[in-house]
């Protein structure tokens, strides 16, 4: 018959507790989110205007934590914070001037 030392018994208990804890309470890995409530904006533009949009948004958010998707003539942007009306208007002007 094999007998365990006090240290071995302690480590086996810790291991068993850790495994049970992991199985009963699975770890929730947070998604890589920009913030709890990121801002979003939609801009009407052509697909070729993406460079102007990215340039303007990179000036506002230098960390480049921006997601831009194009769908049916509109760019949908998700950013760390909502844009102010002035910022939104400035981006629309930049797209319009780059467009022409």
């Amino acid at each position: 018959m094999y007998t365990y030392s006090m240290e071995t018994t302690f480590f086996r208990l810790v291991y068993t507790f850790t495994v049970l804890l992991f199985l009963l309470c699975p770890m929730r890995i947070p998604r890589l989110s920009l913030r709890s409530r990121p801002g979003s904006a939609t801009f009407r533009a052509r697909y070729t205007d993406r460079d102007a949009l990215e340039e303007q948004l990179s000036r506002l958010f230098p960390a480049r934590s921006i997601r831009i998707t194009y769908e049916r003539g509109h760019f949908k942007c998700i950013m760390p914070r909502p844009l102010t009306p002035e910022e939104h208007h400035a981006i629309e002007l930049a797209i319009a001037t780059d467009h022409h």
Side-chain angles (χ1 to χ4, degrees), residues 14-83:
V14 169
Y15 175 77
T16 304
F17 178 74
T18 305
V19 169
L20 286 175
L21 184 67
F22 179 74
L23 291 175
L24 295 176
C25 305
M27 186 174 18
R28 300 196 191 287
I29 301 172
R31 289 181 9 194
L32 292 176
S33 62
L34 304 173
R35 275 180 58 183
S36 59
R37 286 191 230 172
S40 63
T42 304
F43 299 98
R44 187 171 184 200
R46 292 183 182 173
Y47 190 76
T48 57
D49 297 328
R50 184 181 182 112
D51 293 336
L53 178 62
E54 284 181 345
E55 181 182 332
Q56 291 296 318
L57 289 175
S58 65
R59 287 182 187 165
L60 293 173
F61 307 104
R64 290 198 171 268
S65 54
I66 308 160
R67 199 173 345 163
I68 302 173
T69 57
Y70 183 78
E71 184 177 313
R72 296 183 185 172
H74 292 83
F75 281 104
K76 296 181 181 179
C77 309
I78 298 176
M79 300 153 282
R81 64 169 174 81
L83 293 174

Side-chain angles (χ1 to χ4, degrees), residues 81-97:
R81 64 169 174 81
L83 293 174
T84 63
E86 294 83 20
E87 292 170 340
H88 195 278
H89 185 67
I91 292 173
E92 285 179 341
L93 286 177
I95 291 172
T97 55

